Amino acid sequence: MRTKVSNLGIFVLALFIFHLVFRVCGLYRSRRLSNRRAELLDILRSTSLCTASFVVLGWFFSIKMMTIPFLALFWSLSTLILCTARMTIRSIAIHLRLHGKNLRHMLVLGTNPRAVEFAHRISTRVDRGYRFLGFVDDHWPGFPNLTGTGFKVVCDYEGLAEYLRRNVVDEVAVYLPFGSFYRHSSEVALLCEQHGITMRFNSDIFGSKNTRWRAEEFDGDQYVATYTLHSELWPYTIKRLLDITVAACALLVFAPILLVAAIGIKLSSPGPVFFLQERLGISKRRFKIYKFRTMVPNAEKLMAALEKDNEATGPVFKMKNDPRITRFGRALRKSSIDELPQLFNVLKGDMSLVGPRPLPVRDYEGFNEDWQRRRFSVKPGITCLWQVNGRSGISFDQWMLLDLQYMDEWSLWLDLKILAKTVPAVIRGEGAA
């Protein structure tokens, strides 16, 4: 097989893409504190993305050898080789650490319960290669927590600088309360910087239950950012591609149904075919949602008179026998055909196939708990966990909790399961209103 200069260029490009993917997936950073499962999952993500890049390169450069069998073989072998190599390196590192090599000496500042629990985990996991030296404490409020633990205090706060000068210390973990001991923590940070020692601190300094942290750089300055969702870009990229593909295909498949529904609406009652309403999207950005009109044209003006008959809990409005719904509109709602135009919102990027339902501005203004507003930190969707757990038959609080559960447990696999469960739920027409 003759090799061309263009082949070399494609090869170099592939190397660059693979290096970038491996770096984004964290395969070049130290894995000392991560477990085997986390590392294997990162490898699986990396090889899957690299294989996907081969598909793109093969299509763009018309590479004939990029066949399905070749890609399957490449993915299988690269995943197997990487997993084997990484697990072998991990086993060698564990062997060395158990024999006193490749150790990191750890000191903990503070003796509160979280500090003691951290020291216990470090001490018991000898395979991680940490040697726990002891605590630094000035008889601070957490000092009684050391009773009966077997751990020792190696120095007080004033003696920390001298201890670092005369002992082997690789890392210092800070477990002091952020507010009342800010000066102490900042002085230790400066001391660690002067000695070239790694400083660790627990990210949960504010007591946030669902917050994750990551380090970021902006114009040369380092920042610590908090977030409540997954921070990796590639799953959301795949989710967006899935949204576009499925929405476009669904519009083509359901085109006859859309046409029949539009004609039926026009013949059954006066007014427009589509109902456009302002809804709140990601971060409460406003957009116009597309739905087939199922009510009389002046339905929103009549809502005030019906508020006393609201059957839903919370700020949302639901009536099982809403007099504003037309006869044809009731059939559209029962079959959920009225929701199909939202596929255009998905293509536009205002919505996703799966996500918390977009709420009208009127409903949002009735929210009285801030924890409920976290649902607006993701893109809204046509269906979500509420759709497969009773739909409009569940209470408002259950609805909000299901949305937050979806956000906390989100994965591409979860989206696929919800989509699969939505179909029979719509066919049965359970809870539709």
Side-chain angles (χ1 to χ4, degrees), residues 126-160:
V126 292
D127 57 307
R128 300 290 172 88
Y130 276 95
R131 180 187 173 193
F132 179 61
L133 300 174
F135 290 95
V136 178
D137 195 275
D138 257 357
H139 288 276
W140 288 317
F143 186 74
N145 294 305
L146 287 184
T147 305
T149 62
F151 295 130
K152 63 180 180 179
V153 174
V154 296
C155 69
D156 58 15
Y157 178 74
E158 294 298 328
L160 176 59

PDB file of all heavy atoms in Angstrom, residues 126-160:
ATOM      1  N   VAL A 126      -4.213   1.849  51.801  1.00  0.00           N
ATOM      2  CA  VAL A 126      -2.756   1.877  51.600  1.00  0.00           C
ATOM      3  C   VAL A 126      -2.391   1.757  50.122  1.00  0.00           C
ATOM      4  O   VAL A 126      -1.289   2.135  49.710  1.00  0.00           O
ATOM      5  CB  VAL A 126      -2.087   0.748  52.408  1.00  0.00           C
ATOM      6  CG1 VAL A 126      -2.202   1.016  53.900  1.00  0.00           C
ATOM      7  CG2 VAL A 126      -2.697  -0.612  52.055  1.00  0.00           C
ATOM      8  N   ASP A 127      -3.317   1.198  49.306  1.00  0.00           N
ATOM      9  CA  ASP A 127      -3.030   1.053  47.885  1.00  0.00           C
ATOM     10  C   ASP A 127      -2.954   2.403  47.183  1.00  0.00           C
ATOM     11  O   ASP A 127      -2.394   2.508  46.087  1.00  0.00           O
ATOM     12  CB  ASP A 127      -4.106   0.184  47.217  1.00  0.00           C
ATOM     13  CG  ASP A 127      -5.497   0.754  47.411  1.00  0.00           C
ATOM     14  OD1 ASP A 127      -5.868   1.009  48.572  1.00  0.00           O
ATOM     15  OD2 ASP A 127      -6.201   0.949  46.403  1.00  0.00           O
ATOM     16  N   ARG A 128      -3.516   3.448  47.790  1.00  0.00           N
ATOM     17  CA  ARG A 128      -3.437   4.786  47.202  1.00  0.00           C
ATOM     18  C   ARG A 128      -2.060   5.419  47.411  1.00  0.00           C
ATOM     19  O   ARG A 128      -1.754   6.447  46.806  1.00  0.00           O
ATOM     20  CB  ARG A 128      -4.515   5.691  47.800  1.00  0.00           C
ATOM     21  CG  ARG A 128      -5.940   5.179  47.574  1.00  0.00           C
ATOM     22  CD  ARG A 128      -6.334   5.292  46.112  1.00  0.00           C
ATOM     23  NE  ARG A 128      -7.596   4.643  45.821  1.00  0.00           N
ATOM     24  CZ  ARG A 128      -8.781   5.217  45.909  1.00  0.00           C
ATOM     25  NH1 ARG A 128      -8.879   6.453  46.342  1.00  0.00           N
ATOM     26  NH2 ARG A 128      -9.876   4.550  45.589  1.00  0.00           N
ATOM     27  N   GLY A 129      -1.279   4.856  48.289  1.00  0.00           N
ATOM     28  CA  GLY A 129       0.090   5.333  48.462  1.00  0.00           C
ATOM     29  C   GLY A 129       0.222   6.572  49.319  1.00  0.00           C
ATOM     30  O   GLY A 129       1.162   7.361  49.125  1.00  0.00           O
ATOM     31  N   TYR A 130      -0.666   6.757  50.295  1.00  0.00           N
ATOM     32  CA  TYR A 130      -0.571   7.902  51.198  1.00  0.00           C
ATOM     33  C   TYR A 130      -0.136   7.434  52.588  1.00  0.00           C
ATOM     34  O   TYR A 130      -0.644   6.438  53.106  1.00  0.00           O
ATOM     35  CB  TYR A 130      -1.911   8.628  51.303  1.00  0.00           C
ATOM     36  CG  TYR A 130      -2.135   9.615  50.182  1.00  0.00           C
ATOM     37  CD1 TYR A 130      -2.851   9.246  49.048  1.00  0.00           C
ATOM     38  CD2 TYR A 130      -1.620  10.902  50.253  1.00  0.00           C
ATOM     39  CE1 TYR A 130      -3.053  10.140  48.013  1.00  0.00           C
ATOM     40  CE2 TYR A 130      -1.822  11.804  49.221  1.00  0.00           C
ATOM     41  CZ  TYR A 130      -2.543  11.423  48.097  1.00  0.00           C
ATOM     42  OH  TYR A 130      -2.722  12.307  47.072  1.00  0.00           O
ATOM     43  N   ARG A 131       0.776   8.183  53.154  1.00  0.00           N
ATOM     44  CA  ARG A 131       1.178   7.933  54.542  1.00  0.00           C
ATOM     45  C   ARG A 131       0.678   9.112  55.372  1.00  0.00           C
ATOM     46  O   ARG A 131       1.121  10.253  55.169  1.00  0.00           O
ATOM     47  CB  ARG A 131       2.690   7.813  54.661  1.00  0.00           C
ATOM     48  CG  ARG A 131       3.146   7.549  56.085  1.00  0.00           C
ATOM     49  CD  ARG A 131       4.647   7.604  56.206  1.00  0.00           C
ATOM     50  NE  ARG A 131       5.061   7.503  57.598  1.00  0.00           N
ATOM     51  CZ  ARG A 131       6.288   7.765  58.045  1.00  0.00           C
ATOM     52  NH1 ARG A 131       7.220   8.134  57.173  1.00  0.00           N
ATOM     53  NH2 ARG A 131       6.572   7.666  59.318  1.00  0.00           N
ATOM     54  N   PHE A 132      -0.254   8.838  56.282  1.00  0.00           N
ATOM     55  CA  PHE A 132      -0.831   9.899  57.092  1.00  0.00           C
ATOM     56  C   PHE A 132       0.097  10.234  58.252  1.00  0.00           C
ATOM     57  O   PHE A 132       0.391   9.389  59.100  1.00  0.00           O
ATOM     58  CB  PHE A 132      -2.212   9.473  57.607  1.00  0.00           C
ATOM     59  CG  PHE A 132      -2.862  10.506  58.485  1.00  0.00           C
ATOM     60  CD1 PHE A 132      -3.149  11.768  57.983  1.00  0.00           C
ATOM     61  CD2 PHE A 132      -3.168  10.219  59.805  1.00  0.00           C
ATOM     62  CE1 PHE A 132      -3.739  12.724  58.793  1.00  0.00           C
ATOM     63  CE2 PHE A 132      -3.766  11.161  60.607  1.00  0.00           C
ATOM     64  CZ  PHE A 132      -4.051  12.424  60.107  1.00  0.00           C
ATOM     65  N   LEU A 133       0.545  11.484  58.308  1.00  0.00           N
ATOM     66  CA  LEU A 133       1.484  11.917  59.336  1.00  0.00           C
ATOM     67  C   LEU A 133       0.792  12.263  60.643  1.00  0.00           C
ATOM     68  O   LEU A 133       1.300  11.948  61.725  1.00  0.00           O
ATOM     69  CB  LEU A 133       2.274  13.138  58.835  1.00  0.00           C
ATOM     70  CG  LEU A 133       3.103  12.921  57.565  1.00  0.00           C
ATOM     71  CD1 LEU A 133       3.707  14.244  57.101  1.00  0.00           C
ATOM     72  CD2 LEU A 133       4.202  11.883  57.807  1.00  0.00           C
ATOM     73  N   GLY A 134      -0.364  12.952  60.541  1.00  0.00           N
ATOM     74  CA  GLY A 134      -1.075  13.367  61.741  1.00  0.00           C
ATOM     75  C   GLY A 134      -1.793  14.687  61.514  1.00  0.00           C
ATOM     76  O   GLY A 134      -1.885  15.189  60.394  1.00  0.00           O
ATOM     77  N   PHE A 135      -2.286  15.261  62.626  1.00  0.00           N
ATOM     78  CA  PHE A 135      -3.079  16.488  62.555  1.00  0.00           C
ATOM     79  C   PHE A 135      -2.289  17.693  63.046  1.00  0.00           C
ATOM     80  O   PHE A 135      -1.386  17.575  63.886  1.00  0.00           O
ATOM     81  CB  PHE A 135      -4.337  16.356  63.418  1.00  0.00           C
ATOM     82  CG  PHE A 135      -5.355  15.399  62.865  1.00  0.00           C
ATOM     83  CD1 PHE A 135      -5.386  14.079  63.296  1.00  0.00           C
ATOM     84  CD2 PHE A 135      -6.288  15.818  61.924  1.00  0.00           C
ATOM     85  CE1 PHE A 135      -6.329  13.202  62.799  1.00  0.00           C
ATOM     86  CE2 PHE A 135      -7.223  14.938  61.416  1.00  0.00           C
ATOM     87  CZ  PHE A 135      -7.244  13.633  61.855  1.00  0.00           C
ATOM     88  N   VAL A 136      -2.670  18.847  62.536  1.00  0.00           N
ATOM     89  CA  VAL A 136      -2.215  20.135  63.065  1.00  0.00           C
ATOM     90  C   VAL A 136      -3.422  20.749  63.766  1.00  0.00           C
ATOM     91  O   VAL A 136      -4.468  20.950  63.131  1.00  0.00           O
ATOM     92  CB  VAL A 136      -1.720  21.070  61.939  1.00  0.00           C
ATOM     93  CG1 VAL A 136      -1.300  22.409  62.517  1.00  0.00           C
ATOM     94  CG2 VAL A 136      -0.578  20.418  61.178  1.00  0.00           C
ATOM     95  N   ASP A 137      -3.298  21.065  65.055  1.00  0.00           N
ATOM     96  CA  ASP A 137      -4.461  21.542  65.793  1.00  0.00           C
ATOM     97  C   ASP A 137      -4.019  22.427  66.949  1.00  0.00           C
ATOM     98  O   ASP A 137      -2.957  22.212  67.558  1.00  0.00           O
ATOM     99  CB  ASP A 137      -5.270  20.351  66.326  1.00  0.00           C
ATOM    100  CG  ASP A 137      -6.655  20.763  66.783  1.00  0.00           C
ATOM    101  OD1 ASP A 137      -6.795  21.195  67.939  1.00  0.00           O
ATOM    102  OD2 ASP A 137      -7.591  20.670  65.964  1.00  0.00           O
ATOM    103  N   ASP A 138      -4.826  23.439  67.246  1.00  0.00           N
ATOM    104  CA  ASP A 138      -4.581  24.365  68.361  1.00  0.00           C
ATOM    105  C   ASP A 138      -5.679  24.244  69.410  1.00  0.00           C
ATOM    106  O   ASP A 138      -6.126  25.237  69.967  1.00  0.00           O
ATOM    107  CB  ASP A 138      -4.542  25.810  67.834  1.00  0.00           C
ATOM    108  CG  ASP A 138      -3.124  26.341  67.723  1.00  0.00           C
ATOM    109  OD1 ASP A 138      -2.192  25.612  68.105  1.00  0.00           O
ATOM    110  OD2 ASP A 138      -2.945  27.472  67.241  1.00  0.00           O
ATOM    111  N   HIS A 139      -6.121  23.009  69.649  1.00  0.00           N
ATOM    112  CA  HIS A 139      -7.263  22.764  70.530  1.00  0.00           C
ATOM    113  C   HIS A 139      -8.483  23.538  70.039  1.00  0.00           C
ATOM    114  O   HIS A 139      -9.216  24.163  70.802  1.00  0.00           O
ATOM    115  CB  HIS A 139      -6.930  23.135  71.978  1.00  0.00           C
ATOM    116  CG  HIS A 139      -5.980  22.172  72.621  1.00  0.00           C
ATOM    117  ND1 HIS A 139      -6.390  20.992  73.204  1.00  0.00           N
ATOM    118  CD2 HIS A 139      -4.625  22.207  72.745  1.00  0.00           C
ATOM    119  CE1 HIS A 139      -5.331  20.343  73.666  1.00  0.00           C
ATOM    120  NE2 HIS A 139      -4.254  21.057  73.396  1.00  0.00           N
ATOM    121  N   TRP A 140      -8.665  23.475  68.719  1.00  0.00           N
ATOM    122  CA  TRP A 140      -9.831  24.094  68.099  1.00  0.00           C
ATOM    123  C   TRP A 140     -11.081  23.288  68.460  1.00  0.00           C
ATOM    124  O   TRP A 140     -10.980  22.181  69.003  1.00  0.00           O
ATOM    125  CB  TRP A 140      -9.637  24.152  66.574  1.00  0.00           C
ATOM    126  CG  TRP A 140      -8.614  25.179  66.173  1.00  0.00           C
ATOM    127  CD1 TRP A 140      -8.478  26.429  66.659  1.00  0.00           C
ATOM    128  CD2 TRP A 140      -7.589  25.018  65.187  1.00  0.00           C
ATOM    129  NE1 TRP A 140      -7.434  27.079  66.046  1.00  0.00           N
ATOM    130  CE2 TRP A 140      -6.862  26.249  65.136  1.00  0.00           C
ATOM    131  CE3 TRP A 140      -7.199  23.985  64.333  1.00  0.00           C
ATOM    132  CZ2 TRP A 140      -5.788  26.449  64.286  1.00  0.00           C
ATOM    133  CZ3 TRP A 140      -6.137  24.182  63.471  1.00  0.00           C
ATOM    134  CH2 TRP A 140      -5.434  25.394  63.447  1.00  0.00           C
ATOM    135  N   PRO A 141     -12.271  23.819  68.134  1.00  0.00           N
ATOM    136  CA  PRO A 141     -13.526  23.151  68.567  1.00  0.00           C
ATOM    137  C   PRO A 141     -13.620  21.672  68.215  1.00  0.00           C
ATOM    138  O   PRO A 141     -14.300  20.916  68.918  1.00  0.00           O
ATOM    139  CB  PRO A 141     -14.613  23.963  67.833  1.00  0.00           C
ATOM    140  CG  PRO A 141     -14.024  25.332  67.710  1.00  0.00           C
ATOM    141  CD  PRO A 141     -12.552  25.103  67.465  1.00  0.00           C
ATOM    142  N   GLY A 142     -12.975  21.225  67.172  1.00  0.00           N
ATOM    143  CA  GLY A 142     -13.098  19.828  66.778  1.00  0.00           C
ATOM    144  C   GLY A 142     -12.136  18.889  67.472  1.00  0.00           C
ATOM    145  O   GLY A 142     -12.163  17.682  67.235  1.00  0.00           O
ATOM    146  N   PHE A 143     -11.277  19.408  68.360  1.00  0.00           N
ATOM    147  CA  PHE A 143     -10.233  18.589  68.971  1.00  0.00           C
ATOM    148  C   PHE A 143     -10.765  17.347  69.695  1.00  0.00           C
ATOM    149  O   PHE A 143     -10.150  16.269  69.603  1.00  0.00           O
ATOM    150  CB  PHE A 143      -9.406  19.450  69.935  1.00  0.00           C
ATOM    151  CG  PHE A 143      -8.218  18.741  70.506  1.00  0.00           C
ATOM    152  CD1 PHE A 143      -7.093  18.505  69.718  1.00  0.00           C
ATOM    153  CD2 PHE A 143      -8.222  18.295  71.818  1.00  0.00           C
ATOM    154  CE1 PHE A 143      -5.995  17.843  70.240  1.00  0.00           C
ATOM    155  CE2 PHE A 143      -7.128  17.632  72.343  1.00  0.00           C
ATOM    156  CZ  PHE A 143      -6.017  17.406  71.546  1.00  0.00           C
ATOM    157  N   PRO A 144     -11.875  17.408  70.422  1.00  0.00           N
ATOM    158  CA  PRO A 144     -12.378  16.200  71.111  1.00  0.00           C
ATOM    159  C   PRO A 144     -12.706  15.056  70.162  1.00  0.00           C
ATOM    160  O   PRO A 144     -12.827  13.908  70.610  1.00  0.00           O
ATOM    161  CB  PRO A 144     -13.643  16.707  71.814  1.00  0.00           C
ATOM    162  CG  PRO A 144     -13.421  18.169  72.001  1.00  0.00           C
ATOM    163  CD  PRO A 144     -12.665  18.603  70.786  1.00  0.00           C
ATOM    164  N   ASN A 145     -12.843  15.325  68.866  1.00  0.00           N
ATOM    165  CA  ASN A 145     -13.169  14.249  67.923  1.00  0.00           C
ATOM    166  C   ASN A 145     -12.043  13.231  67.793  1.00  0.00           C
ATOM    167  O   ASN A 145     -12.258  12.131  67.271  1.00  0.00           O
ATOM    168  CB  ASN A 145     -13.473  14.829  66.534  1.00  0.00           C
ATOM    169  CG  ASN A 145     -14.743  15.666  66.528  1.00  0.00           C
ATOM    170  OD1 ASN A 145     -15.798  15.207  66.909  1.00  0.00           O
ATOM    171  ND2 ASN A 145     -14.621  16.921  66.109  1.00  0.00           N
ATOM    172  N   LEU A 146     -10.837  13.585  68.230  1.00  0.00           N
ATOM    173  CA  LEU A 146      -9.703  12.662  68.119  1.00  0.00           C
ATOM    174  C   LEU A 146      -9.722  11.578  69.182  1.00  0.00           C
ATOM    175  O   LEU A 146      -9.013  10.574  69.061  1.00  0.00           O
ATOM    176  CB  LEU A 146      -8.382  13.440  68.217  1.00  0.00           C
ATOM    177  CG  LEU A 146      -7.977  14.284  67.010  1.00  0.00           C
ATOM    178  CD1 LEU A 146      -6.610  14.907  67.235  1.00  0.00           C
ATOM    179  CD2 LEU A 146      -7.954  13.438  65.756  1.00  0.00           C
ATOM    180  N   THR A 147     -10.513  11.763  70.201  1.00  0.00           N
ATOM    181  CA  THR A 147     -10.544  10.799  71.306  1.00  0.00           C
ATOM    182  C   THR A 147     -10.923   9.408  70.799  1.00  0.00           C
ATOM    183  O   THR A 147     -11.960   9.218  70.169  1.00  0.00           O
ATOM    184  CB  THR A 147     -11.549  11.246  72.383  1.00  0.00           C
ATOM    185  OG1 THR A 147     -11.223  12.572  72.808  1.00  0.00           O
ATOM    186  CG2 THR A 147     -11.508  10.296  73.570  1.00  0.00           C
ATOM    187  N   GLY A 148     -10.056   8.451  71.059  1.00  0.00           N
ATOM    188  CA  GLY A 148     -10.328   7.062  70.691  1.00  0.00           C
ATOM    189  C   GLY A 148     -10.081   6.723  69.239  1.00  0.00           C
ATOM    190  O   GLY A 148     -10.329   5.584  68.823  1.00  0.00           O
ATOM    191  N   THR A 149      -9.572   7.650  68.443  1.00  0.00           N
ATOM    192  CA  THR A 149      -9.335   7.359  67.031  1.00  0.00           C
ATOM    193  C   THR A 149      -7.962   6.747  66.772  1.00  0.00           C
ATOM    194  O   THR A 149      -7.749   6.116  65.735  1.00  0.00           O
ATOM    195  CB  THR A 149      -9.458   8.643  66.185  1.00  0.00           C
ATOM    196  OG1 THR A 149      -8.452   9.585  66.597  1.00  0.00           O
ATOM    197  CG2 THR A 149     -10.842   9.257  66.341  1.00  0.00           C
ATOM    198  N   GLY A 150      -7.033   6.956  67.704  1.00  0.00           N
ATOM    199  CA  GLY A 150      -5.671   6.455  67.488  1.00  0.00           C
ATOM    200  C   GLY A 150      -4.790   7.408  66.712  1.00  0.00           C
ATOM    201  O   GLY A 150      -3.597   7.143  66.526  1.00  0.00           O
ATOM    202  N   PHE A 151      -5.356   8.504  66.240  1.00  0.00           N
ATOM    203  CA  PHE A 151      -4.576   9.500  65.505  1.00  0.00           C
ATOM    204  C   PHE A 151      -3.905  10.456  66.486  1.00  0.00           C
ATOM    205  O   PHE A 151      -4.356  10.616  67.622  1.00  0.00           O
ATOM    206  CB  PHE A 151      -5.462  10.289  64.537  1.00  0.00           C
ATOM    207  CG  PHE A 151      -6.040   9.449  63.435  1.00  0.00           C
ATOM    208  CD1 PHE A 151      -7.399   9.494  63.149  1.00  0.00           C
ATOM    209  CD2 PHE A 151      -5.226   8.618  62.677  1.00  0.00           C
ATOM    210  CE1 PHE A 151      -7.933   8.736  62.131  1.00  0.00           C
ATOM    211  CE2 PHE A 151      -5.762   7.843  61.662  1.00  0.00           C
ATOM    212  CZ  PHE A 151      -7.111   7.904  61.385  1.00  0.00           C
ATOM    213  N   LYS A 152      -2.884  11.142  66.023  1.00  0.00           N
ATOM    214  CA  LYS A 152      -2.137  12.050  66.895  1.00  0.00           C
ATOM    215  C   LYS A 152      -2.047  13.440  66.278  1.00  0.00           C
ATOM    216  O   LYS A 152      -2.183  13.613  65.063  1.00  0.00           O
ATOM    217  CB  LYS A 152      -0.734  11.504  67.155  1.00  0.00           C
ATOM    218  CG  LYS A 152       0.117  11.383  65.889  1.00  0.00           C
ATOM    219  CD  LYS A 152       1.506  10.839  66.209  1.00  0.00           C
ATOM    220  CE  LYS A 152       2.351  10.724  64.917  1.00  0.00           C
ATOM    221  NZ  LYS A 152       3.707  10.228  65.193  1.00  0.00           N
ATOM    222  N   VAL A 153      -1.798  14.411  67.165  1.00  0.00           N
ATOM    223  CA  VAL A 153      -1.524  15.778  66.731  1.00  0.00           C
ATOM    224  C   VAL A 153      -0.012  15.949  66.715  1.00  0.00           C
ATOM    225  O   VAL A 153       0.648  15.787  67.742  1.00  0.00           O
ATOM    226  CB  VAL A 153      -2.178  16.803  67.682  1.00  0.00           C
ATOM    227  CG1 VAL A 153      -1.773  18.221  67.300  1.00  0.00           C
ATOM    228  CG2 VAL A 153      -3.690  16.670  67.645  1.00  0.00           C
ATOM    229  N   VAL A 154       0.530  16.252  65.545  1.00  0.00           N
ATOM    230  CA  VAL A 154       1.987  16.323  65.420  1.00  0.00           C
ATOM    231  C   VAL A 154       2.536  17.704  65.753  1.00  0.00           C
ATOM    232  O   VAL A 154       3.721  17.842  66.086  1.00  0.00           O
ATOM    233  CB  VAL A 154       2.438  15.915  63.996  1.00  0.00           C
ATOM    234  CG1 VAL A 154       2.094  14.466  63.724  1.00  0.00           C
ATOM    235  CG2 VAL A 154       1.810  16.817  62.937  1.00  0.00           C
ATOM    236  N   CYS A 155       1.694  18.752  65.637  1.00  0.00           N
ATOM    237  CA  CYS A 155       2.140  20.086  66.002  1.00  0.00           C
ATOM    238  C   CYS A 155       0.946  21.012  66.114  1.00  0.00           C
ATOM    239  O   CYS A 155      -0.153  20.681  65.643  1.00  0.00           O
ATOM    240  CB  CYS A 155       3.155  20.636  64.986  1.00  0.00           C
ATOM    241  SG  CYS A 155       2.447  21.007  63.368  1.00  0.00           S
ATOM    242  N   ASP A 156       1.154  22.166  66.738  1.00  0.00           N
ATOM    243  CA  ASP A 156       0.100  23.172  66.772  1.00  0.00           C
ATOM    244  C   ASP A 156       0.251  24.096  65.566  1.00  0.00           C
ATOM    245  O   ASP A 156       1.174  23.948  64.760  1.00  0.00           O
ATOM    246  CB  ASP A 156       0.122  23.949  68.086  1.00  0.00           C
ATOM    247  CG  ASP A 156       1.469  24.637  68.340  1.00  0.00           C
ATOM    248  OD1 ASP A 156       2.278  24.746  67.382  1.00  0.00           O
ATOM    249  OD2 ASP A 156       1.707  25.057  69.480  1.00  0.00           O
ATOM    250  N   TYR A 157      -0.657  25.072  65.490  1.00  0.00           N
ATOM    251  CA  TYR A 157      -0.652  25.945  64.317  1.00  0.00           C
ATOM    252  C   TYR A 157       0.630  26.765  64.233  1.00  0.00           C
ATOM    253  O   TYR A 157       1.194  26.925  63.142  1.00  0.00           O
ATOM    254  CB  TYR A 157      -1.870  26.864  64.367  1.00  0.00           C
ATOM    255  CG  TYR A 157      -1.935  27.846  63.229  1.00  0.00           C
ATOM    256  CD1 TYR A 157      -2.282  27.425  61.944  1.00  0.00           C
ATOM    257  CD2 TYR A 157      -1.623  29.186  63.424  1.00  0.00           C
ATOM    258  CE1 TYR A 157      -2.330  28.313  60.887  1.00  0.00           C
ATOM    259  CE2 TYR A 157      -1.665  30.086  62.380  1.00  0.00           C
ATOM    260  CZ  TYR A 157      -2.013  29.647  61.114  1.00  0.00           C
ATOM    261  OH  TYR A 157      -2.042  30.531  60.076  1.00  0.00           O
ATOM    262  N   GLU A 158       1.091  27.272  65.341  1.00  0.00           N
ATOM    263  CA  GLU A 158       2.312  28.096  65.341  1.00  0.00           C
ATOM    264  C   GLU A 158       3.537  27.283  64.954  1.00  0.00           C
ATOM    265  O   GLU A 158       4.500  27.816  64.389  1.00  0.00           O
ATOM    266  CB  GLU A 158       2.518  28.721  66.732  1.00  0.00           C
ATOM    267  CG  GLU A 158       1.451  29.727  67.122  1.00  0.00           C
ATOM    268  CD  GLU A 158       1.428  30.932  66.180  1.00  0.00           C
ATOM    269  OE1 GLU A 158       2.505  31.306  65.662  1.00  0.00           O
ATOM    270  OE2 GLU A 158       0.328  31.488  65.956  1.00  0.00           O
ATOM    271  N   GLY A 159       3.524  25.989  65.219  1.00  0.00           N
ATOM    272  CA  GLY A 159       4.679  25.158  64.912  1.00  0.00           C
ATOM    273  C   GLY A 159       4.650  24.515  63.533  1.00  0.00           C
ATOM    274  O   GLY A 159       5.531  23.736  63.183  1.00  0.00           O
ATOM    275  N   LEU A 160       3.603  24.849  62.729  1.00  0.00           N
ATOM    276  CA  LEU A 160       3.456  24.214  61.414  1.00  0.00           C
ATOM    277  C   LEU A 160       4.614  24.542  60.485  1.00  0.00           C
ATOM    278  O   LEU A 160       5.146  23.658  59.802  1.00  0.00           O
ATOM    279  CB  LEU A 160       2.134  24.654  60.771  1.00  0.00           C
ATOM    280  CG  LEU A 160       1.890  24.152  59.345  1.00  0.00           C
ATOM    281  CD1 LEU A 160       1.904  22.624  59.289  1.00  0.00           C
ATOM    282  CD2 LEU A 160       0.579  24.696  58.795  1.00  0.00           C
TER     283      LEU A 160
END
